[in-house]
Amino acid sequence: MGWKNAGSIPGKWSTLNDGCAHFGFKGMKMVYAWKVFKGSSICVQAKGFNAKGKKTWYKAGCGKTGKITVPWGNVAANKEMKVKGAALLRWS
């Protein structure tokens, strides 16, 4: 999958979903990246899965660009990010 365009609103968490199931395996990790191309810095959380396969939100910090690798494991699910801040961005 390539980069996707998205927008976020100030003061509220917006959830971004890539609409594609990713099939994992034991020990797999998922990479998320983002770049703001218009607006302010954003704060980001990325969906991953803990050792028991439970969905967990991992804090990725705030800024205009960033990248995080989260545990995924043996799960089939869509990639999701939560973003907060007034911006237009690209993410993968």
Side-chain angles (χ1 to χ4, degrees):
M1 303 273 328
W3 288 85
K4 290 154 276 313
N5 292 326
S8 61
I9 38 181
K12 292 190 173 198
W13 287 101
S14 301
T15 302
L16 311 177
N17 183 319
D18 75 348
C20 181
H22 300 271
F23 294 89
F25 52 87
K26 185 178 179 180
M28 182 178 160
K29 297 188 182 297
M30 186 66 70
V31 177
Y32 292 83
W34 67 93
K35 296 177 185 179
V36 171
F37 61 88
K38 185 172 184 178
S40 63
S41 294
I42 57 172
C43 294
V44 176
Q45 295 179 3
K47 181 175 85 174
F49 296 88
N50 67 19
K52 295 183 179 182
K54 184 177 178 188
K55 177 170 77 170
T56 304
W57 290 99
Y58 295 90
K59 293 180 182 179
C62 301
K64 286 199 166 205
T65 64
K67 186 176 182 180
I68 185 173
T69 302
V70 299
W72 196 264
N74 193 22
V75 175
N78 296 351
K79 283 176 76 171
E80 290 181 284
M81 281 189 359
K82 289 183 182 179
V83 297
K84 186 181 352 180
L88 297 175
L89 64 134
R90 291 186 179 93
W91 73 286
S92 67

